[in-house]
Each structure stands twice: as structure tokens, then as C-alpha cells.
Amino acid sequence: MVKFPSIRTLAGAGVIASAALLAFACAKRPSSAGLVGTDAAKAVYVAPGQHDEFYAFMSGGFNGQIGIYGLPSGRRLKTIPVFSQYPENGYGYSEETKPMLNTTYGFIPWDDTHHPALSQTNGEDDGRWIFINANNTPRVARIDLTRFETEEILEIPNAGGNHGSPFVTQNTEYLVASTRFSVPVPNADVPISEFKKHFKGQISFIKADEPGKMRVAFQMIMPGFSYDLARSGKGASNGWMFLSMYNTEQAYSLLEVNASQNDKDFVAAVNWKAIEACAQKGIVKNVPASYVHNYTDEFTREAKSTTLTSVPQFQAKDCPGAVYFMPTPKSPHGADVDPTGEYIVAGGKLASVIPVHSFSKMLKAIEAKAFEGEIEGIPVLKYDATLAGEVKNPGLGPLHTEFDGKGYGYTSFFISSEVVKWKLGTWEVVDRVPTYYSVGHLMIPGGGTMKPNAKYLVAMNKITKDRYLPTGPELTQSAQLYDISGDKMKLLLDFPTEGEPHYAQAIEAKKIKDKQVKFFKLAENKASRVARTEKETGVSREGRRVHVRMTAIRSHFAPDNIEGVQVGDTVLFHVTNLEQDWDVPHGFTIMGATSGELLIMPGETRTLRWVPTKVGVYPMYCTDFCSALHQEMQGYVRVSARGSNVALSGVTSRPQPARKAEGPKQ
């Protein structure tokens, strides 16, 4: 094990950080009035009926979803449910979508999302899919951007915390996911105090280039560190992936002290093409593992879960040339690659510089075997041998860097609450702007690709005190939009967000908007109990289970009066929306439903499960305002005692001819 001397004790680092925070808290904060020019409102204004230039996809953090915002307006357009139930559209409540939340731990209705990643072709965002991670119960998801729906989720075995995920390669050959919390592999009942003996990290390469077939292509077992963020190589460095890591001390308690002792941690340079070559030689072996793959069929619109029982795995040391460690100060978080693929920028949370590694120098160092030693068979390169340069005295608490494609990097500083612009090659700081407050991730549209769009930068901040109307103990999460088209950054807009946005991706709207599915074709609906016309509706009993095949169309259900249901029956309402027009969903629920509601898109079938517990007559209705007679879109279900002889029936009441008014009796 290579040991790096500590240039200061953690106590000293803590004093410095605490002093910086205290100074920031006590200082008079700048007024936002002077930061926003008189033309800022015009710069972000999108006229009624007009579209934003960009879609921005922001992680929901602890809400487990993705939020969609238009840029530059900051208008919220939609929430895409991914790893958490979502009452607005019944995701995770309807029988068709519940399987999407299955795991080897059972049905899990919540998770924590951090890093959306757009699919790429030739190093550019292509608008096909967006992927995102589940941090708590390790999973990755694919979202189809023609429907803005989650269509696939893959659980990751042998992972403890899936924070460093998912990062796409230049042509979406793989998603890369690493473990935040090293755990025993395979997991076992071992003393935590024997961390160094039993605990391991892992980096999974997930094949994701074909919908419905996400799978772990190979899983590399690594030393028991904490693996964090990553970016793929591009251009000359295509075929490599660069990941940050911390806790090289392999501490397991009070990490704020014990995991910050080493002066340098690492950025791992992983050669996935070398791993593919090792796989062809038979080094990668299938080992027992249990994990779940969930997928929604395009035509049945029904999700299914499959449990997988093995994973292709190998030890990093057994594939020479697969991975190298580049020493990096100190507790690095971000590991970001510039558009040329030459520079790898690390954000050391406790570092006083921004270190920039050179890919070409790294290759030369590998060839020259400029190693300081090795860790579990992985070579450790000399710091100076890979270093392109350091950005000196940039700020306090560097985290993440984005690039504009014009030769500049933009780094977020959590402690000093600012974004700093600096020049690649000379490493000089050229501009800085305050954020409000405690910025985490940054986003430039295409900032992680070979062709960024250097128009806007979005800062995602952790604290918003005094920026918005107060809302009790918790204030809204926030983002701030900056104009970066000129030499100086200009604050244009504050806008609230849902959840805690950790990272975001943005793409030109023109790459997505014209590909939108407007409705599902009834003729292609292959749901198991679809009713494509009202003639196909009906009610049937299978023991204690009652199936209701129902249709919805403006402005009635068929059937809308159901009798013969008994207390304790499981009633499954299979509702098909007969509309064949854009933006005409129908809702459905019934009094006493414990599993939410349905929101059924045009041409789609969705199923609500309902178990009545009391006799009576229960109203059901459409929950989505669909027409002038939306209020009239309702019906009733009669529930009788168990064993009742009331016949099972379902009818739709038809209009009765008006009765001729009778005159007064003589």
C-alpha cells in the first residue's frame, strides 16, 4: 500500500474550512440587485406560445425523480417518475408500473437520484434516452425521450451505494457505475472492524445500447475505497473512463476525520477496451449474484421483472492495463474531462488547487512505468508524471467542472459559494461570480460532450436563504442561470426546483421536441385486458377476483354502473383511454382506493387494484379535467356482503328519451 504523507492534520483542515464558513456567514452578502442587468428579464423571457431553446433534465435528489425545465425561462415542464411512486400519474401504483420498483429487497417505493446522463453518438448528446442512478438501492434507469417515461431499470449487484453513476461512453456503448460504500463481495456477515480484509469496491460496465436489454457486461472488483464521480474519455481518450475516489485510508467510522488523512487520494483511469480484450481471453467469469431487471413492453405497456442469477466479474489485478491510479489532492469529488479528451480535472473538496491531469502525459508515464508503487496489483502513477497543471488559489471547496468548448473550465466552489472560470493551458483564473448559496454541481448544455453549447451555465445550489418567500423550516431548492456567452459571466435568473438537484443535463430542444409520441395507437395496444371499443367492455369473476374491462372517452366510462361486487373481492379496473388525440389523458379512481389513481394516456390501458372492505355504493370518477362535461364523467360500484346473490353486472346507462310534460290534473 502506497502511503502519502499528510501535509496537514485533519484538525487543521477542519479549522480552515470552519473559518472559511464562518467568514462567509458573517460577511455582508452582496445584493442581487446589482448582479442582474436591466436586460436580464428580456434574456430569459419566452413569449406566450413560444418554446424554450433547451430542455434541462435535473435530478430530483431525495424525491427519486427527474425534473424537466425549459431554458432559459426556468419553467418547470414535467416530472418524470423513476425510482419513486408518483401519485400524479399513478406510476408505481398501477398494476402495469408496480414491477418497475421491484428489487431483490422487495418492492421499494423510494430512492435517491443524482446524475442524469444523456445518450451520446460520436461524443454528442443525441436525444434518444436519458439515464439516471438510484443511490440507496443501487440501480440505473433508462428513460425514453419520445415518451418521457421510465422504460427500464437494472439493479446492480455487489454495490453499496450507487452514487458514481451512470456515466456514458462516447457512443453509449456502456454506462459506468461504481460503488460509494465498499462492502464485502459477495456480501457476508463479517466484523466491520475487519474492513481492510473483507471490504471491496466495484466498477460495473453496463451494456445499454439496446432498449430492454440492459445488463452488466463486466464488473471489476477494486480496492475497498469510496468511488465517486466519473466521465468518459473522448476523442484521443475514447475507450477510457476516469473516476474519482476518496477514503483511500479505508476508514469505516467518523470519515470526516479518518477518511481525510492522506494528502492525496486518486483518480482511476480505466481502459475499458483493455477489459473487453481480457474478457475475450476468458479472464471475466460468471459468479453467482442476485439482481433484478425491470422492463416495460412498448406495446402491452406492462412492466415485467426478471431476477438474474450471475454477473460477469473479474479482479482488477487480473487484467493488466485495465486500470491505473493517478494521485489527486484531496478527497476528490468531480472527475471531469474537457471536450478534447486531453484534460482530466479533479475537484478535491479539501484541496487548495484544482489539479488537471493530462491524458497524453498519462500514456507516456504508463509506457515509462513512472510508478510510485501499486495497490492490490493496480499501478500508482507519479503525480508529476500525469500533471498538466494546477489552478492556483481558485477558491474554497472545489467540486465540479464543466467546459464551454472555447478553452475554459468552470468550477463550482461549495464553501466560498462561487463559480470560477479559468483557462485551460495557462490555468489562470479569468472570472468569478457568486452563487446563492453553497453551489454543488454545474451544468453547461453539452458540457460533458465534445461539442458544448457555450450559452448558459446553471448552478445548482444547496441553500436559498433570503432568495425566496419563506415556507416553514424547509426552503425551496434552487438553480441559477448565468449567461456565459461573453468574457464575463452574468447572472440572469433564479428559479426554484423540486427535490435537491444534484446534477443536470441540457440539450437543444430541436433534438427532441419533434420526436414526441402524441398518443398510443389503439390498434397497437396489446395489453392483456384491453378494450378497444365499448363493445369489448365487461365484468367477469375469477373466484374472489373481479376484472372490469372499462373504456374512457369524453365524457363517460363504460361500464359506469357495476353491481355484484362483494366485500373482500379484489377488483381490477382495466381502463383503456379510447382517445386518439394529443394531450387528452383521462384519470380514474374510486372511493376507498388505497393504491392511488390512474392517469391513462390516449390509447393506453392502465389497471387499478381495489379491495372494498365495507358494503355500500362507491362513486368512481375521472380525475383529470378532460372536457366541459368532466364533472359528469363518473359512475358507481355497488358492494354487497360476502356470499350475496346479487348478480355480477356492468352496464353503461344510455340517454333516455325525454318524457313529455304532463299538464295539470283536472
Side-chain angles (χ1 to χ4, degrees):
M1 177 76 173
V2 175
K3 295 184 178 180
F4 297 102
S6 177
I7 59 172
R8 63 189 181 207
T9 65
L10 184 70
V15 168
I16 291 171
S18 299
L21 287 169
L22 182 61
F24 172 69
C26 295
K28 183 179 180 181
R29 294 171 177 175
S31 167
S32 62
L35 294 169
V36 181
T38 57
D39 61 346
K42 182 179 178 181
V44 301
Y45 178 68
V46 177
Q50 299 300 306
H51 291 176
D52 280 279
E53 185 178 356
F54 297 94
Y55 286 98
F57 299 86
M58 293 190 175
S59 69
F62 44 69
N63 73 19
Q65 322 290 30
I66 294 178
I68 313 299
Y69 298 82
L71 294 182
S73 72
R75 299 182 297 195
R76 176 184 170 273
L77 305 177
K78 186 180 179 69
T79 295
I80 302 176
V82 187
F83 296 112
S84 299
Q85 289 177 302
Y86 191 55
E88 182 175 310
N89 67 2
Y91 178 84
Y93 295 99
S94 70
E95 297 304 298
E96 290 81 6
T97 60
K98 282 181 183 178
M100 293 300 288
L101 301 180
N102 285 346
T103 75
T104 53
Y105 301 93
F107 178 84
I108 295 184
W110 170 89
D111 217 302
D112 181 20
T113 58
H114 283 229
H115 304 120
L118 287 159
S119 57
Q120 293 186 16
T121 301
N122 296 325
E124 294 184 54
D125 296 328
D126 58 29
R128 291 178 295 166
W129 311 304
I130 192 163
F131 304 94
I132 196 163
N133 64 319
N135 188 24
N136 185 54
T137 302
R139 289 167 287 171
V140 292
R142 179 202 309 272
I143 292 89
D144 182 283
L145 292 181
T146 66
R147 304 190 304 271
F148 279 58
E149 290 181 342
T150 303
E151 69 173 6
E152 191 169 9
I153 293 176
L154 179 70
E155 191 175 358
I156 302 174
N158 301 314
N162 181 41
H163 181 257
S165 167
F167 300 98
V168 300
T169 55
Q170 183 171 303
N171 286 290
T172 320
E173 299 96 338
Y174 298 104
L175 308 180
V176 176
S178 59
T179 189
R180 174 180 173 183
F181 313 109
S182 286
V183 293
V185 177
N187 216 336
D189 178 11
V190 299
I192 297 173
S193 60
E194 296 182 1
F195 187 100
K196 291 184 179 181
K197 179 179 179 181
H198 296 292
F199 287 58
K200 296 293 180 183
Q202 59 84 14
I203 300 172
S204 292
F205 284 75
I206 297 163
K207 202 68 175 169
D209 55 352
E210 191 174 354
K213 297 182 179 180
M214 286 174 66
R215 65 190 187 280
V216 179
F218 37 81
Q219 186 175 80
M220 181 166 61
I221 302 303
M222 297 284 287
F225 304 153
S226 292
Y227 296 82
D228 209 355
L229 303 184
R231 283 286 193 197
S232 71
K234 50 183 72 76
S237 57
N238 182 30
W240 291 77
M241 180 65 65
F242 302 93
L243 303 93
S244 65
M245 65 189 73
Y246 61 99
N247 191 23
T248 53
E249 299 85 351
Q250 295 184 288
Y252 51 86
S253 177
L254 198 62
L255 264 63
E256 64 174 330
V257 174
N258 295 320
S260 299
Q261 297 294 323
N262 289 341
D263 183 46
K264 291 183 177 70
D265 292 293
F266 301 118
V267 166
V270 179
N271 185 342
W272 56 263
K273 290 189 176 181
I275 298 173
E276 287 181 330
C278 284
Q280 292 176 355
K281 294 176 182 178
I283 290 175
V284 178
K285 304 290 185 182
N286 283 322
V287 300
S290 180
Y291 54 110
V292 168
H293 176 241
N294 306 323
Y295 177 64
T296 298
D297 183 89
E298 180 181 358
F299 298 107
T300 66
R301 311 283 298 131
E302 297 170 356
K304 298 188 183 302
S305 290
T306 303
T307 299
L308 306 175
T309 58
S310 67
V311 62
Q313 190 181 92
F314 70 102
Q315 301 287 327
K317 64 181 180 180
D318 293 333
C319 182
V323 58
Y324 299 89
F325 287 156
M326 296 190 288
T328 302
K330 178 177 185 182
S331 296
H333 191 46
D336 301 295
V337 180
D338 86 303
T340 70
E342 167 63 13
Y343 297 120
I344 304 101
V345 180
K349 299 188 294 290
L350 298 177
S352 59
V353 298
I354 302 173
V356 182
H357 297 283
S358 162
F359 177 72
S360 58
K361 289 187 70 174
M362 183 197 80
L363 291 182
K364 291 177 182 177
I366 292 170
E367 185 178 3
K369 296 186 178 181
F371 304 144
E372 291 190 353
E374 64 176 36
I375 299 174
E376 296 186 21
I378 299 171
V380 178
L381 294 160
K382 293 180 179 179
Y383 179 61
D384 291 339
T386 66
L387 190 68
E390 295 176 332
V391 182
K392 305 287 188 181
N393 302 314
L396 295 175
L399 291 180
H400 306 284
T401 299
E402 289 276 280
F403 304 94
D404 62 8
K406 296 180 178 180
Y408 294 96
Y410 300 74
T411 301
S412 58
F413 288 83
F414 180 83
I415 296 175
S416 52
S417 289
E418 59 185 332
V419 177
V420 173
K421 178 181 178 181
W422 51 274
K423 188 170 179 60
L424 289 159
T426 67
W427 323 121
E428 61 183 319
V429 172
V430 297
D431 191 25
R432 62 178 73 231
V433 292
T435 60
Y436 301 92
Y437 304 97
S438 298
V439 59
H441 270 287
L442 301 176
M443 180 271 287
I444 291 173
T449 72
M450 296 178 73
K451 292 186 178 180
N453 190 315
K455 194 168 187 178
Y456 301 115
L457 178 145
V458 176
M460 284 149 278
N461 306 325
K462 306 301 184 184
I463 298 173
T464 61
K465 287 181 181 179
D466 73 31
R467 302 298 288 181
Y468 300 100
L469 286 171
T471 52
E474 184 188 21
L475 302 179
T476 183
Q477 306 295 319
S478 76
Q480 293 185 297
L481 181 72
Y482 293 84
D483 180 347
I484 60 168
S485 59
D487 292 336
K488 298 294 183 181
M489 296 177 279
K490 298 178 182 178
L491 176 63
L492 297 178
L493 180 70
D494 285 33
F495 59 99
T497 63
E498 286 190 291
E500 182 192 359
H502 289 263
Y503 183 48
Q505 296 258 273
I507 188 172
E508 294 94 334
K510 65 185 179 182
K511 290 187 176 182
I512 295 179
K513 66 183 182 68
D514 295 332
K515 301 176 183 178
Q516 296 306 289
V517 171
K518 296 184 176 181
F519 56 85
F520 299 103
K521 296 177 182 178
L522 271 173
E524 296 179 353
N525 184 331
K526 296 181 180 179
S528 54
R529 295 188 185 264
V530 60
R532 296 184 184 87
T533 69
E534 291 188 9
K535 291 181 180 180
E536 297 178 4
T537 62
V539 184
S540 61
R541 177 181 288 280
E542 298 174 357
R544 302 300 301 168
R545 186 175 290 254
V546 174
H547 292 279
V548 181
R549 295 175 69 178
M550 179 182 287
T551 59
I553 194 167
R554 288 167 288 186
S555 295
H556 66 274
F557 294 111
D560 63 1
N561 281 262
I562 299 166
E563 299 190 12
V565 172
Q566 299 179 13
V567 170
D569 281 344
T570 295
V571 184
L572 295 164
F573 295 94
H574 310 280
V575 186
T576 302
N577 182 345
L578 296 182
E579 309 286 355
Q580 292 288 268
D581 195 6
W582 198 10
D583 197 28
V584 191
H586 287 297
F588 176 82
T589 195
I590 185 168
M591 187 170 73
T594 59
S595 59
E597 61 141 4
L598 301 178
L599 191 63
I600 313 114
M601 296 301 112
E604 181 181 55
T605 301
R606 284 285 183 253
T607 301
L608 181 73
R609 181 179 181 273
W610 178 61
V611 181
T613 59
K614 302 175 183 178
V615 299
V617 177
Y618 293 82
M620 58 188 184
Y621 69 102
C622 176
T623 58
D624 187 285
F625 205 102
C626 55
S627 72
L629 296 178
H630 164 73
Q631 290 289 97
E632 283 75 12
M633 193 167 175
Q634 63 182 56
Y636 293 98
V637 177
R638 175 186 174 188
V639 177
S640 302
R642 188 160 184 172
S644 168
N645 60 4
V646 175
L648 186 67
S649 65
V651 299
T652 302
S653 301
R654 295 299 174 188
Q656 303 297 318
R659 295 173 58 189
K660 185 177 180 180
E662 298 180 1
K665 292 183 179 181
Q666 300 297 322

